[in-house]
Amino acid sequence: MKNKMILITAFLLVGFTIFLPVFIVTKNGIAETITITIGVTLYHFIMRLAVGTIVNSIMKNKANHENIWFREKSFEKKLYRLIRVQEWKKHLPTYSPDTFDTSRKTVKDIIGATCQAEIVHEIIMVLSLLPIIVIPFLGGTVALIITSVFAMLFDSLFVILQRYNRPKLVRVMRRFQRIRKHVSGEDDCERDS
């Protein structure tokens, strides 16, 4: 997915570079529409790549899942059943599948990655609304509002996915920890003291 996003961003950049001068020279309405459409789409791709890169360089998938922000809320299980997360989650693309690969990562690492992915998509949700600010300068009110809101809603699916998966992963990690303690005899030592 990462390579596809970079490739699409490159194509959009080329398209924007071609159409912007055409629009500036011709003041043609079609060139204007194409330029704005490509420009806004380019913004969404560059912004997503930049947010992911910046957050990864800061957090390095080491977020504390016990932080209150990442803890499961009382209403979430009912909400996830209502919106049927189990049915659609498998259809969402994964930007970096290796990050969530259980054969290469520990459960704790994957939990940290879910926290980081949640933060990335929450930031993207907010930044998806930014194009609305340029409406007074560019026009295209309906198109900019629709694309911004749909982009924000799309990223909310990834936030939901991370929040849906994390509690299950935490339970698995805790089960492994209890088994490890029991096998190593730590439980017996604690009772003897």
Side-chain angles (χ1 to χ4, degrees), residues 87-136:
E87 293 176 24
W88 53 258
K89 71 175 196 158
K90 60 185 164 271
H91 301 291
L92 290 179
T94 303
Y95 180 73
S96 180
D98 291 348
T99 306
F100 302 99
D101 184 350
T102 55
S103 67
R104 296 180 180 184
K105 303 288 182 180
T106 66
V107 176
K108 185 176 182 179
D109 290 339
I110 294 171
I111 291 169
T114 67
C115 295
Q116 180 172 308
E118 177 184 337
I119 292 291
V120 165
H121 288 287
E122 288 166 342
I123 293 169
I124 289 171
M125 285 173 65
V126 172
L127 295 178
S128 289
L129 298 175
L130 211 52
I132 293 172
I133 294 171
V134 301
I135 288 172

Side-chain angles (χ1 to χ4, degrees), residues 18-31:
I18 291 168
F19 277 97
L20 182 61
V22 170
F23 164 64
I24 291 170
V25 170
T26 66
K27 304 289 187 213
N28 180 290
I30 294 172

Side-chain angles (χ1 to χ4, degrees), residues 3-149:
N3 291 338
K4 286 180 185 174
M5 281 191 69
I6 292 169
L7 186 62
I8 291 168
T9 304
F11 279 122
L12 289 167
L13 186 58
V14 169
F16 187 72
T17 305
I18 291 168
F19 277 97
L20 182 61
V22 170
F23 164 64
I24 291 170
V25 170
T26 66
K27 304 289 187 213
N28 180 290
I30 294 172
E32 176 183 26
T33 301
I34 293 170
T35 303
I36 291 171
T37 303
I38 292 173
V40 171
T41 307
L42 178 62
Y43 162 76
H44 281 285
F45 274 83
I46 289 174
M47 176 266 292
R48 281 166 172 72
L49 290 169
V51 169
T53 301
I54 291 166
V55 172
N56 187 50
S57 70
I58 294 168
M59 296 180 76
K60 297 178 180 27
N61 289 328
K62 302 294 181 194
N64 178 3
H65 70 276
E66 293 179 2
N67 179 298
I68 194 165
W69 187 263
F70 300 119
R71 285 191 223 145
E72 185 177 31
K73 309 298 184 260
S74 59
F75 66 88
E76 286 183 298
K77 283 183 185 177
K78 288 179 185 174
L79 173 65
Y80 300 151
R81 269 194 301 274
L82 179 69
I83 62 174
R84 301 174 183 215
V85 176
Q86 183 67 34
E87 293 176 24
W88 53 258
K89 71 175 196 158
K90 60 185 164 271
H91 301 291
L92 290 179
T94 303
Y95 180 73
S96 180
D98 291 348
T99 306
F100 302 99
D101 184 350
T102 55
S103 67
R104 296 180 180 184
K105 303 288 182 180
T106 66
V107 176
K108 185 176 182 179
D109 290 339
I110 294 171
I111 291 169
T114 67
C115 295
Q116 180 172 308
E118 177 184 337
I119 292 291
V120 165
H121 288 287
E122 288 166 342
I123 293 169
I124 289 171
M125 285 173 65
V126 172
L127 295 178
S128 289
L129 298 175
L130 211 52
I132 293 172
I133 294 171
V134 301
I135 288 172
F137 307 105
L138 298 178
T141 304
V142 174
L144 287 173
I145 290 174
I146 289 172
T147 56
S148 294
V149 170

